[in-house]
Structure formats: structure tokens, C-alpha cells
Amino acid sequence: MAAAAKAAAAAGAAAAPAAPAPEPAPADPPDGGWGWAVVAASFISVGFAYAFPKSLTIYYKEIQEYFSVSYSQIAWVSSLMLASMAPEQHSCQPLRQQTGGHGWRPHRFRRHGARLLWNLHAPPVPVCGSPRRGSFLVLGALVLNCCVAGALMRPVDAGRARAEAPSEQRQRPGRSRRAERGAAAERVAAAAQAAGRRPGAFLDASLFRHRGFLIYLLGNVLMFFGFFAPVVFLAPYAKHLGVDEYSAAFLLSIFALVDMFVRPATGLLANSKRIRPRIQYLFSFAVCYNAACHLLCPLARGYAGLALYAVFFGTAFGMVCALLFEVLMDLVGAQRFSSAVGLVTLIECGPVLLGPPLSGALVDVWGDYKYMYYACGAFMLLPGVFFFIMHYYNYKRADEEQRHGLSAEMRTPQEALQLKPEGI
């Protein structure tokens, strides 16, 4: 009898369904441990990728004369790179790896101006005696490091799901591979819901009803028409004034060096107790400061004047870049920041793409760079004033809404009943 009871109990235990394993908690971003490697990879990827279109402008004059193209045509080279890297800056592994090596290929341009753009992906054939071709190879070798850095750019939950799949398969060998993929997808969806977004949705369209986001988006779209063109044409402008090639390239070095130190300094200033509550005003000032630099640039005389302009322009450019996404997070909050960045960068591709060619067209029409700098200054001044006015309005509305919310919370239940209209 005892043996029969034991056998029956064993059979019942085998027939009973196994208790489901507890779902693992969503993976947290690696702020500690190897998180520094992801930060270093981002620094390499963004830094090298954005430095290449600026370095390329040193050879604009030579390329323009060799291929007999206009300023507006040659400006498409840097504008295409900058516009394509705007969404890539917030993308993951595959896009960064695929675009990492494209910087070294633009040296087989044909003489026809229209084919200048299509030959960006032509295979390299180094030719002796051309410093331009050799420089492109060196720059391309540096940009190829973005492929290595891109290997670290992948979603945390997806990587964890791949790591957990083999261990789960060893524990449950009878489970199919399709079931394993389904379980991994469910865990990723659960992590997305825990992060506050709908599974499979990476862009929050409700942001277009957000007052602060619309102010930021409208101003930035106009600002980016004149944001990159002065950088693109700084070295060609110096050569136009008779500055030699190496001195013109050194202007970009001055600009980059000042930009490198201004960005962290601006971050410290923005996080101070007095500036942080009204950080939007600091961003508005930085945009207007950019406009003032461009409007005064044609007054610079000689190489010393251009070097002084590079210092002030590097300061203004670094301030805007340091505050660009900081003010966006201040407007929309941390939960919606990822979607807001995605929407902004996708929409900003248009003005980033069209800004330098339109500015180059002004040089083609008037034969002088000063009108291009005046136009860029105007494109920066208008959104700067717009930001000052609209952020003042936004802060005022936010303060009123906060006061109304506090007064509603402080009302007693009797006061709330008295405020209700009759018939409710």
C-alpha cells in the first residue's frame, strides 16, 4: 500500500504543471561597472563623426577648382554628412557600424558637379602627389574607429535576452526555439511598459500637443538653417581673403579647442542654483550670441580678426551644443526625453541638409561671403528672440498652472462642494 501511494504521488507530481519561473526584472542601464566603456564609445563615435565634415572644408577651395563646381554644390557634401548623422547620433549598433567607414571615400570625385555627391561611396584609389587624397585616407582611418565603438551600442534588454536564452534552453531542453524568442519578446515588452512607453513605439506623437516642445521645435528648425553653414565656410572664407591653407585650417583648430572647453563650462553654469530654474533663458542668450558673432564677422580684418571670430564663434557654438538637449529635457521631462530627441533630430535633418547649400548659393550669386554670414546671423537672431519671448510666456503659464494646482489641493472638501455648480 505504501509503495502504491508513493507511486501515485509521484505520478500526480509529474502530471501537475510546473510552477512558472518568476520573470526577471528589467535590466538597468550599466551606470556602473563597464558603463564607462559605453560613454567612451559614444564620445569616439559622435566626436569623430562630427569632426570629419568640418575637417573636409579645408579642401573645399581645391575641390571646387578641380571639379569646377559652385559653392552651393560643394556644400552638399558636408550637409549630407551632418544631416545623416543627426538621427544616427541617437541610434544603435547597426547604423553606426555601417556608416563608420564612409568618411574615407570621397576622393574619387568626377569632374561633373552633380556626380560629386554620388561618388561619396566610391572605392579608394590613392594617387601619389595629392595631399587631399592622402588626408582623406588618414581621416577615414580615424572615422573607422566608429565601427568599433558602434559594437557597444545595443539595447540593454535585447542583449540580456540573448544572454539568458542559452541558460534557459539548458534548463528546459524540450522548449522550442520559437517559444524562447516569444518569451524574450515578452520580457522586452514588459521592460518597455515599465519605462513608460507603449511596446514597439519609439516616438511619442502626443508631444506635438506639448507647449514647451512645440516652442523648442519651431525655434530649432529655423535656427539650424544658419547653424552649421558658418563652420562649413570658415576655412574657404579665410582662403578667399588670401590666408594660406595651413593658417585657414588652424582657424578650425582654434574653433574646436575653444568649443571643447566651453561645453563643460556651460554645463556647470547651467546646473548652478541661479541658472537652473530658468535655463531656457541661457539657451536663448546662446542662440542670440551666435547671431551676433555671424553678423559681426564681415567686419573682421586680417588673420587676427578671423582668429578672434573663431574664438567667439567657438564659445557661442559650444554653449548652444551643451544646452541643446539639456533644455529639451527640462521642457518634456526625463520619461519623454527619448521620444522627444528622436522627433527633434528627425525633423531637424531638413534644415541641417538645406542650410549649407542655401548659404553657398548666396556666395555664388553675390560673389562675397559677407551676405552668407548676414543671412546666417539673421537665421540665428530670429529664433533667439523667439525663444526669449516664448519661454517667458511658457514660464509664466507654468507658474500660473502650478499656483492653480496648489490652490486646488489646499481647498477643504466643504469649499470644493460650494464651488460646484448647481445640478451636478
PDB file of all heavy atoms in Angstrom, residues 162-189:
ATOM      1  N   ARG A 162      19.368  37.794 -25.159  1.00  0.00           N
ATOM      2  CA  ARG A 162      20.244  36.846 -25.848  1.00  0.00           C
ATOM      3  C   ARG A 162      21.110  36.065 -24.870  1.00  0.00           C
ATOM      4  O   ARG A 162      21.384  34.889 -25.064  1.00  0.00           O
ATOM      5  CB  ARG A 162      21.147  37.605 -26.827  1.00  0.00           C
ATOM      6  CG  ARG A 162      20.417  38.226 -27.989  1.00  0.00           C
ATOM      7  CD  ARG A 162      21.424  38.636 -29.051  1.00  0.00           C
ATOM      8  NE  ARG A 162      20.847  39.606 -29.954  1.00  0.00           N
ATOM      9  CZ  ARG A 162      21.042  40.901 -29.860  1.00  0.00           C
ATOM     10  NH1 ARG A 162      21.787  41.382 -28.894  1.00  0.00           N
ATOM     11  NH2 ARG A 162      20.497  41.739 -30.713  1.00  0.00           N
ATOM     12  N   ALA A 163      21.550  36.731 -23.788  1.00  0.00           N
ATOM     13  CA  ALA A 163      22.409  36.058 -22.831  1.00  0.00           C
ATOM     14  C   ALA A 163      21.648  35.018 -22.024  1.00  0.00           C
ATOM     15  O   ALA A 163      22.197  34.001 -21.623  1.00  0.00           O
ATOM     16  CB  ALA A 163      23.047  37.089 -21.900  1.00  0.00           C
ATOM     17  N   GLU A 164      20.346  35.295 -21.769  1.00  0.00           N
ATOM     18  CA  GLU A 164      19.572  34.378 -20.950  1.00  0.00           C
ATOM     19  C   GLU A 164      19.024  33.208 -21.750  1.00  0.00           C
ATOM     20  O   GLU A 164      18.677  32.175 -21.183  1.00  0.00           O
ATOM     21  CB  GLU A 164      18.403  35.125 -20.304  1.00  0.00           C
ATOM     22  CG  GLU A 164      18.855  36.104 -19.223  1.00  0.00           C
ATOM     23  CD  GLU A 164      17.675  36.866 -18.663  1.00  0.00           C
ATOM     24  OE1 GLU A 164      16.570  36.711 -19.230  1.00  0.00           O
ATOM     25  OE2 GLU A 164      17.841  37.595 -17.677  1.00  0.00           O
ATOM     26  N   ALA A 165      18.938  33.314 -23.072  1.00  0.00           N
ATOM     27  CA  ALA A 165      18.334  32.246 -23.874  1.00  0.00           C
ATOM     28  C   ALA A 165      19.081  30.924 -23.765  1.00  0.00           C
ATOM     29  O   ALA A 165      18.469  29.879 -23.558  1.00  0.00           O
ATOM     30  CB  ALA A 165      18.230  32.690 -25.331  1.00  0.00           C
ATOM     31  N   PRO A 166      20.429  30.876 -23.849  1.00  0.00           N
ATOM     32  CA  PRO A 166      21.098  29.584 -23.735  1.00  0.00           C
ATOM     33  C   PRO A 166      20.909  28.924 -22.381  1.00  0.00           C
ATOM     34  O   PRO A 166      20.718  27.717 -22.291  1.00  0.00           O
ATOM     35  CB  PRO A 166      22.578  29.946 -23.990  1.00  0.00           C
ATOM     36  CG  PRO A 166      22.540  31.217 -24.726  1.00  0.00           C
ATOM     37  CD  PRO A 166      21.353  31.954 -24.203  1.00  0.00           C
ATOM     38  N   SER A 167      20.944  29.730 -21.279  1.00  0.00           N
ATOM     39  CA  SER A 167      20.780  29.135 -19.953  1.00  0.00           C
ATOM     40  C   SER A 167      19.384  28.567 -19.780  1.00  0.00           C
ATOM     41  O   SER A 167      19.201  27.480 -19.216  1.00  0.00           O
ATOM     42  CB  SER A 167      21.067  30.195 -18.888  1.00  0.00           C
ATOM     43  OG  SER A 167      20.147  31.266 -19.002  1.00  0.00           O
ATOM     44  N   GLU A 168      18.363  29.268 -20.292  1.00  0.00           N
ATOM     45  CA  GLU A 168      17.005  28.752 -20.183  1.00  0.00           C
ATOM     46  C   GLU A 168      16.833  27.494 -21.037  1.00  0.00           C
ATOM     47  O   GLU A 168      16.101  26.574 -20.681  1.00  0.00           O
ATOM     48  CB  GLU A 168      16.000  29.817 -20.616  1.00  0.00           C
ATOM     49  CG  GLU A 168      15.937  31.006 -19.658  1.00  0.00           C
ATOM     50  CD  GLU A 168      14.934  32.026 -20.127  1.00  0.00           C
ATOM     51  OE1 GLU A 168      14.299  31.775 -21.173  1.00  0.00           O
ATOM     52  OE2 GLU A 168      14.771  33.056 -19.463  1.00  0.00           O
ATOM     53  N   GLN A 169      17.528  27.455 -22.168  1.00  0.00           N
ATOM     54  CA  GLN A 169      17.400  26.283 -23.031  1.00  0.00           C
ATOM     55  C   GLN A 169      18.040  25.054 -22.365  1.00  0.00           C
ATOM     56  O   GLN A 169      17.559  23.940 -22.517  1.00  0.00           O
ATOM     57  CB  GLN A 169      18.065  26.552 -24.379  1.00  0.00           C
ATOM     58  CG  GLN A 169      17.749  25.500 -25.428  1.00  0.00           C
ATOM     59  CD  GLN A 169      18.222  25.934 -26.780  1.00  0.00           C
ATOM     60  OE1 GLN A 169      18.865  26.960 -26.917  1.00  0.00           O
ATOM     61  NE2 GLN A 169      17.906  25.153 -27.780  1.00  0.00           N
ATOM     62  N   ARG A 170      19.120  25.290 -21.606  1.00  0.00           N
ATOM     63  CA  ARG A 170      19.723  24.165 -20.895  1.00  0.00           C
ATOM     64  C   ARG A 170      18.815  23.676 -19.770  1.00  0.00           C
ATOM     65  O   ARG A 170      18.727  22.492 -19.478  1.00  0.00           O
ATOM     66  CB  ARG A 170      21.079  24.589 -20.322  1.00  0.00           C
ATOM     67  CG  ARG A 170      22.161  24.710 -21.367  1.00  0.00           C
ATOM     68  CD  ARG A 170      23.521  24.801 -20.709  1.00  0.00           C
ATOM     69  NE  ARG A 170      23.620  25.975 -19.831  1.00  0.00           N
ATOM     70  CZ  ARG A 170      24.068  27.151 -20.241  1.00  0.00           C
ATOM     71  NH1 ARG A 170      24.446  27.315 -21.495  1.00  0.00           N
ATOM     72  NH2 ARG A 170      24.165  28.152 -19.397  1.00  0.00           N
ATOM     73  N   GLN A 171      18.096  24.625 -19.130  1.00  0.00           N
ATOM     74  CA  GLN A 171      17.213  24.219 -18.056  1.00  0.00           C
ATOM     75  C   GLN A 171      15.973  23.518 -18.594  1.00  0.00           C
ATOM     76  O   GLN A 171      15.457  22.591 -17.979  1.00  0.00           O
ATOM     77  CB  GLN A 171      16.792  25.452 -17.232  1.00  0.00           C
ATOM     78  CG  GLN A 171      17.974  26.088 -16.496  1.00  0.00           C
ATOM     79  CD  GLN A 171      17.572  27.387 -15.829  1.00  0.00           C
ATOM     80  OE1 GLN A 171      16.405  27.770 -15.887  1.00  0.00           O
ATOM     81  NE2 GLN A 171      18.528  28.058 -15.193  1.00  0.00           N
ATOM     82  N   ARG A 172      15.455  23.945 -19.744  1.00  0.00           N
ATOM     83  CA  ARG A 172      14.245  23.348 -20.332  1.00  0.00           C
ATOM     84  C   ARG A 172      14.564  22.910 -21.754  1.00  0.00           C
ATOM     85  O   ARG A 172      14.271  23.607 -22.713  1.00  0.00           O
ATOM     86  CB  ARG A 172      13.095  24.350 -20.298  1.00  0.00           C
ATOM     87  CG  ARG A 172      12.587  24.612 -18.879  1.00  0.00           C
ATOM     88  CD  ARG A 172      11.582  25.745 -18.881  1.00  0.00           C
ATOM     89  NE  ARG A 172      12.248  27.031 -19.053  1.00  0.00           N
ATOM     90  CZ  ARG A 172      11.615  28.203 -18.996  1.00  0.00           C
ATOM     91  NH1 ARG A 172      10.314  28.220 -18.799  1.00  0.00           N
ATOM     92  NH2 ARG A 172      12.259  29.332 -19.139  1.00  0.00           N
ATOM     93  N   PRO A 173      15.216  21.742 -21.907  1.00  0.00           N
ATOM     94  CA  PRO A 173      15.653  21.351 -23.257  1.00  0.00           C
ATOM     95  C   PRO A 173      14.514  21.060 -24.194  1.00  0.00           C
ATOM     96  O   PRO A 173      14.676  21.080 -25.398  1.00  0.00           O
ATOM     97  CB  PRO A 173      16.498  20.096 -22.982  1.00  0.00           C
ATOM     98  CG  PRO A 173      15.992  19.579 -21.667  1.00  0.00           C
ATOM     99  CD  PRO A 173      15.600  20.762 -20.875  1.00  0.00           C
ATOM    100  N   GLY A 174      13.321  20.772 -23.702  1.00  0.00           N
ATOM    101  CA  GLY A 174      12.210  20.430 -24.580  1.00  0.00           C
ATOM    102  C   GLY A 174      11.510  21.639 -25.169  1.00  0.00           C
ATOM    103  O   GLY A 174      10.616  21.484 -25.996  1.00  0.00           O
ATOM    104  N   ARG A 175      11.885  22.842 -24.773  1.00  0.00           N
ATOM    105  CA  ARG A 175      11.215  24.054 -25.234  1.00  0.00           C
ATOM    106  C   ARG A 175      11.754  24.452 -26.607  1.00  0.00           C
ATOM    107  O   ARG A 175      12.963  24.425 -26.847  1.00  0.00           O
ATOM    108  CB  ARG A 175      11.452  25.180 -24.240  1.00  0.00           C
ATOM    109  CG  ARG A 175      10.496  26.351 -24.430  1.00  0.00           C
ATOM    110  CD  ARG A 175      10.677  27.333 -23.300  1.00  0.00           C
ATOM    111  NE  ARG A 175       9.748  28.430 -23.408  1.00  0.00           N
ATOM    112  CZ  ARG A 175       9.718  29.473 -22.581  1.00  0.00           C
ATOM    113  NH1 ARG A 175      10.563  29.512 -21.579  1.00  0.00           N
ATOM    114  NH2 ARG A 175       8.846  30.432 -22.746  1.00  0.00           N
ATOM    115  N   SER A 176      10.875  24.822 -27.506  1.00  0.00           N
ATOM    116  CA  SER A 176      11.286  25.137 -28.872  1.00  0.00           C
ATOM    117  C   SER A 176      11.975  26.497 -28.932  1.00  0.00           C
ATOM    118  O   SER A 176      11.839  27.334 -28.044  1.00  0.00           O
ATOM    119  CB  SER A 176      10.062  25.146 -29.794  1.00  0.00           C
ATOM    120  OG  SER A 176       9.181  26.186 -29.423  1.00  0.00           O
ATOM    121  N   ARG A 177      12.691  26.716 -30.034  1.00  0.00           N
ATOM    122  CA  ARG A 177      13.380  27.985 -30.218  1.00  0.00           C
ATOM    123  C   ARG A 177      12.395  29.121 -30.435  1.00  0.00           C
ATOM    124  O   ARG A 177      12.621  30.251 -30.013  1.00  0.00           O
ATOM    125  CB  ARG A 177      14.328  27.865 -31.419  1.00  0.00           C
ATOM    126  CG  ARG A 177      15.228  29.075 -31.608  1.00  0.00           C
ATOM    127  CD  ARG A 177      16.249  28.810 -32.678  1.00  0.00           C
ATOM    128  NE  ARG A 177      17.132  27.704 -32.304  1.00  0.00           N
ATOM    129  CZ  ARG A 177      18.103  27.267 -33.098  1.00  0.00           C
ATOM    130  NH1 ARG A 177      18.300  27.823 -34.291  1.00  0.00           N
ATOM    131  NH2 ARG A 177      18.873  26.254 -32.713  1.00  0.00           N
ATOM    132  N   ARG A 178      11.265  28.834 -31.084  1.00  0.00           N
ATOM    133  CA  ARG A 178      10.246  29.870 -31.281  1.00  0.00           C
ATOM    134  C   ARG A 178       9.680  30.327 -29.951  1.00  0.00           C
ATOM    135  O   ARG A 178       9.433  31.521 -29.740  1.00  0.00           O
ATOM    136  CB  ARG A 178       9.131  29.326 -32.180  1.00  0.00           C
ATOM    137  CG  ARG A 178       8.025  30.332 -32.457  1.00  0.00           C
ATOM    138  CD  ARG A 178       6.985  29.746 -33.400  1.00  0.00           C
ATOM    139  NE  ARG A 178       7.583  29.430 -34.698  1.00  0.00           N
ATOM    140  CZ  ARG A 178       6.892  28.882 -35.691  1.00  0.00           C
ATOM    141  NH1 ARG A 178       5.618  28.589 -35.545  1.00  0.00           N
ATOM    142  NH2 ARG A 178       7.501  28.624 -36.839  1.00  0.00           N
ATOM    143  N   ALA A 179       9.450  29.365 -29.026  1.00  0.00           N
ATOM    144  CA  ALA A 179       8.945  29.738 -27.706  1.00  0.00           C
ATOM    145  C   ALA A 179       9.956  30.587 -26.955  1.00  0.00           C
ATOM    146  O   ALA A 179       9.595  31.519 -26.224  1.00  0.00           O
ATOM    147  CB  ALA A 179       8.599  28.487 -26.900  1.00  0.00           C
ATOM    148  N   GLU A 180      11.250  30.290 -27.127  1.00  0.00           N
ATOM    149  CA  GLU A 180      12.277  31.083 -26.472  1.00  0.00           C
ATOM    150  C   GLU A 180      12.255  32.515 -26.991  1.00  0.00           C
ATOM    151  O   GLU A 180      12.353  33.479 -26.223  1.00  0.00           O
ATOM    152  CB  GLU A 180      13.660  30.457 -26.735  1.00  0.00           C
ATOM    153  CG  GLU A 180      13.868  29.096 -26.107  1.00  0.00           C
ATOM    154  CD  GLU A 180      13.956  29.189 -24.603  1.00  0.00           C
ATOM    155  OE1 GLU A 180      14.201  30.304 -24.086  1.00  0.00           O
ATOM    156  OE2 GLU A 180      13.777  28.161 -23.940  1.00  0.00           O
ATOM    157  N   ARG A 181      12.121  32.689 -28.323  1.00  0.00           N
ATOM    158  CA  ARG A 181      12.062  34.044 -28.888  1.00  0.00           C
ATOM    159  C   ARG A 181      10.823  34.775 -28.410  1.00  0.00           C
ATOM    160  O   ARG A 181      10.868  35.976 -28.141  1.00  0.00           O
ATOM    161  CB  ARG A 181      12.096  33.979 -30.415  1.00  0.00           C
ATOM    162  CG  ARG A 181      13.451  33.566 -30.979  1.00  0.00           C
ATOM    163  CD  ARG A 181      13.533  33.916 -32.458  1.00  0.00           C
ATOM    164  NE  ARG A 181      12.547  33.181 -33.237  1.00  0.00           N
ATOM    165  CZ  ARG A 181      12.791  32.048 -33.869  1.00  0.00           C
ATOM    166  NH1 ARG A 181      14.006  31.510 -33.799  1.00  0.00           N
ATOM    167  NH2 ARG A 181      11.861  31.424 -34.554  1.00  0.00           N
ATOM    168  N   GLY A 182       9.692  34.046 -28.286  1.00  0.00           N
ATOM    169  CA  GLY A 182       8.481  34.695 -27.794  1.00  0.00           C
ATOM    170  C   GLY A 182       8.625  35.160 -26.359  1.00  0.00           C
ATOM    171  O   GLY A 182       8.171  36.252 -25.995  1.00  0.00           O
ATOM    172  N   ALA A 183       9.266  34.344 -25.533  1.00  0.00           N
ATOM    173  CA  ALA A 183       9.471  34.745 -24.139  1.00  0.00           C
ATOM    174  C   ALA A 183      10.393  35.947 -24.044  1.00  0.00           C
ATOM    175  O   ALA A 183      10.172  36.863 -23.231  1.00  0.00           O
ATOM    176  CB  ALA A 183      10.050  33.567 -23.350  1.00  0.00           C
ATOM    177  N   ALA A 184      11.433  35.971 -24.882  1.00  0.00           N
ATOM    178  CA  ALA A 184      12.339  37.126 -24.873  1.00  0.00           C
ATOM    179  C   ALA A 184      11.611  38.388 -25.313  1.00  0.00           C
ATOM    180  O   ALA A 184      11.815  39.471 -24.751  1.00  0.00           O
ATOM    181  CB  ALA A 184      13.532  36.864 -25.785  1.00  0.00           C
ATOM    182  N   ALA A 185      10.737  38.279 -26.332  1.00  0.00           N
ATOM    183  CA  ALA A 185       9.977  39.449 -26.786  1.00  0.00           C
ATOM    184  C   ALA A 185       9.027  39.945 -25.709  1.00  0.00           C
ATOM    185  O   ALA A 185       8.824  41.153 -25.538  1.00  0.00           O
ATOM    186  CB  ALA A 185       9.196  39.093 -28.053  1.00  0.00           C
ATOM    187  N   GLU A 186       8.429  39.005 -24.948  1.00  0.00           N
ATOM    188  CA  GLU A 186       7.548  39.416 -23.858  1.00  0.00           C
ATOM    189  C   GLU A 186       8.313  40.170 -22.778  1.00  0.00           C
ATOM    190  O   GLU A 186       7.811  41.142 -22.211  1.00  0.00           O
ATOM    191  CB  GLU A 186       6.870  38.183 -23.265  1.00  0.00           C
ATOM    192  CG  GLU A 186       5.834  37.537 -24.196  1.00  0.00           C
ATOM    193  CD  GLU A 186       5.246  36.284 -23.578  1.00  0.00           C
ATOM    194  OE1 GLU A 186       5.654  35.949 -22.445  1.00  0.00           O
ATOM    195  OE2 GLU A 186       4.388  35.661 -24.233  1.00  0.00           O
ATOM    196  N   ARG A 187       9.527  39.735 -22.494  1.00  0.00           N
ATOM    197  CA  ARG A 187      10.317  40.437 -21.482  1.00  0.00           C
ATOM    198  C   ARG A 187      10.696  41.837 -21.948  1.00  0.00           C
ATOM    199  O   ARG A 187      10.683  42.795 -21.173  1.00  0.00           O
ATOM    200  CB  ARG A 187      11.575  39.628 -21.162  1.00  0.00           C
ATOM    201  CG  ARG A 187      11.318  38.415 -20.293  1.00  0.00           C
ATOM    202  CD  ARG A 187      12.622  37.865 -19.748  1.00  0.00           C
ATOM    203  NE  ARG A 187      13.498  37.378 -20.817  1.00  0.00           N
ATOM    204  CZ  ARG A 187      13.449  36.153 -21.304  1.00  0.00           C
ATOM    205  NH1 ARG A 187      12.541  35.281 -20.839  1.00  0.00           N
ATOM    206  NH2 ARG A 187      14.268  35.772 -22.266  1.00  0.00           N
ATOM    207  N   VAL A 188      11.047  41.967 -23.239  1.00  0.00           N
ATOM    208  CA  VAL A 188      11.369  43.306 -23.760  1.00  0.00           C
ATOM    209  C   VAL A 188      10.148  44.212 -23.708  1.00  0.00           C
ATOM    210  O   VAL A 188      10.242  45.394 -23.369  1.00  0.00           O
ATOM    211  CB  VAL A 188      11.929  43.187 -25.190  1.00  0.00           C
ATOM    212  CG1 VAL A 188      12.117  44.563 -25.804  1.00  0.00           C
ATOM    213  CG2 VAL A 188      13.249  42.438 -25.182  1.00  0.00           C
ATOM    214  N   ALA A 189       8.951  43.657 -24.045  1.00  0.00           N
ATOM    215  CA  ALA A 189       7.720  44.459 -23.977  1.00  0.00           C
ATOM    216  C   ALA A 189       7.417  44.874 -22.547  1.00  0.00           C
ATOM    217  O   ALA A 189       6.984  46.003 -22.297  1.00  0.00           O
ATOM    218  CB  ALA A 189       6.559  43.657 -24.566  1.00  0.00           C
TER     219      ALA A 189
END
